[in-house]
Amino acid sequence: MSKKLLIGTGVAFSLLFSSFSQAFAEEPTTGERKQVDNVAHRGAAGYAPENTIAGFDLAVDMKADYIEIDVQRSKDGELVVIHDTTVDRTTDGTGKVGNLTLQQLQQLDAGSWKEESFAGETIPAFEEILDRYHGKVGILIELKAPELYPGIEEQVAEALKERNLDQPQNEKIIIQSFNFQSMKKTDQLLPKVPVGVLTSNRTHTTAEALKEFSTYAEWFNPSYGIVTEEVVDQVHAQGMQIGSWTVRSQEAADFLFDMNVDAIITDYPDYVDPRN
Ligand code: G3P
Ligand code: CA
């Protein structure tokens, strides 16, 4: 069954279910919260150096539902996990990610800039992250600046297929990007893997824009500054889910709970954990 058909079936079931819910269920009382996915942004980036094993392990310990990772490519063609397109801010080196080999990248210290106790953390390889965390925690994979790395979509797809992570229900894997063409391509390469579009641009929240995104994306993931109840309703009306970023305060988390989003992408997973 195609992904679109699966989604259509899902929407039909959810409509059926929601009418039963409306008929038989009480509205949640004040203080109750719906289940929201807790996504640890770049690992638990508020507490540990972003995009490192220390940060991702901490996110797992903090019971996040997903870790969010940024994927780029080294000079010698290896997929690596780092946010900026240069190593300058988050390591003790300098230069563009794409101008350094995997070996050169992995010799850098990616922890000390955050705190001396994290000295020795390194830039992880993408496949290392898949192998270490799949089955343990969901992985929200962002293709960062994919226009700099032609063919990165195929490489990511291959790595997922090798591990059978391209199949629905196997593991929690989502791929997202600010580059919409890249996500269209990813949707074609990996029809069973949910795809997300990232934006902080209000013009992408119109009904027309959301309808276009829904032709290939399952997630609409905006910065929280452009989230309103109306946007959330329209995203849901198009059969997509909404995950919003980047939460760095309890107030921001509470705002997104109130907006009824489906996922909160946060540097501080404890702000989203309902047990706190
Ligand atoms: O997951 C959303 C978020 O990661 C997008 O922004 O710049 O942190 O990659 P950025
Ligand atoms: Ca990211």
Side-chain angles (χ1 to χ4, degrees):
M1 189 184 289
S2 76
K3 181 165 65 167
K4 303 307 172 207
L5 194 53
L6 269 172
I7 293 162
T9 310
V11 169
F13 271 116
S14 43
L15 284 173
L16 185 62
F17 180 74
S18 74
S19 55
F20 276 118
S21 309
Q22 277 161 18
F24 298 113
E26 300 273 322
E27 280 293 307
T29 55
T30 310
E32 285 182 25
R33 284 173 168 175
K34 78 164 195 166
Q35 179 59 45
V36 173
D37 283 327
N38 186 347
V39 183
H41 183 239
R42 309 181 197 169
Y47 299 112
E50 64 186 57
N51 285 313
T52 63
I53 296 293
F56 298 134
D57 279 357
L58 180 59
V60 172
D61 289 347
M62 295 179 83
K63 307 274 187 272
D65 298 301
Y66 287 80
I67 52 173
E68 190 255 2
I69 70 174
D70 299 289
V71 177
Q72 300 186 60
R73 191 167 64 204
S74 68
K75 183 179 181 182
D76 51 344
E78 300 295 328
L79 298 179
V80 290
V81 175
I82 182 169
H83 179 271
D84 295 4
T85 54
T86 74
V87 299
D88 301 20
R89 180 179 60 88
T90 57
T91 76
D92 57 348
T94 57
K96 291 183 181 170
V97 173
N99 285 347
L100 297 165
T101 63
L102 178 65
Q103 195 187 21
Q104 288 171 324
L105 288 167
Q106 294 202 312
Q107 277 168 356
L108 302 175
D109 179 346
S112 295
W113 70 276
K114 181 77 174 172
E115 202 180 284
E116 205 41 53
S117 62
F118 291 114
E121 286 298 318
T122 55
I123 296 172
F126 174 56
E127 298 198 27
E128 176 187 358
I129 297 300
L130 292 181
D131 291 336
R132 188 178 176 97
Y133 295 105
H134 82 74
K136 207 184 265 188
V137 65
I139 309 177
L140 174 58
I141 301 164
E142 179 180 348
L143 303 194
K144 182 58 79 186
E147 60 278 6
L148 298 179
Y149 310 106
I152 193 170
E153 297 86 358
E154 283 87 346
Q155 259 184 289
V156 167
E158 200 48 46
L160 292 176
K161 285 180 182 174
E162 277 170 15
R163 293 162 178 80
N164 217 24
L165 295 174
D166 59 320
Q167 299 301 315
Q169 311 305 331
N170 260 6
E171 313 287 353
K172 295 189 293 182
I173 301 284
I174 304 170
I175 304 179
Q176 65 174 358
S177 185
F178 288 97
N179 184 318
F180 305 151
Q181 290 309 316
S182 176
M183 290 303 92
K184 275 190 190 175
K185 184 176 178 185
T186 298
D187 178 51
Q188 286 167 1
L189 290 167
L190 295 166
K192 296 172 187 167
V193 174
V195 156
V197 291
L198 284 163
T199 185
S200 51
N201 187 334
R202 220 175 285 279
T203 65
H204 294 142
T205 64
T206 62
E208 297 70 35
L210 293 172
K211 192 170 180 190
E212 158 65 13
F213 292 141
S214 75
T215 62
Y216 58 90
E218 286 70 35
W219 284 85
F220 177 73
N221 294 347
S223 55
Y224 72 80
I226 61 169
V227 172
T228 63
E229 279 181 81
E230 192 190 354
V231 168
V232 174
D233 287 346
Q234 292 208 30
V235 171
H236 288 158
Q238 292 298 338
M240 294 186 288
Q241 297 192 80
I242 179 167
S244 188
W245 46 276
T246 298
V247 163
R248 298 190 172 102
S249 69
Q250 189 62 61
E251 292 70 26
D254 290 342
F255 166 74
L256 289 174
F257 276 116
D258 288 346
M259 289 296 107
N260 206 30
V261 299
D262 303 291
I264 297 179
I265 301 166
T266 178
D267 282 356
Y268 299 88
D270 45 325
Y271 294 164
V272 181
D273 188 332
R275 291 164 299 189
N276 287 297

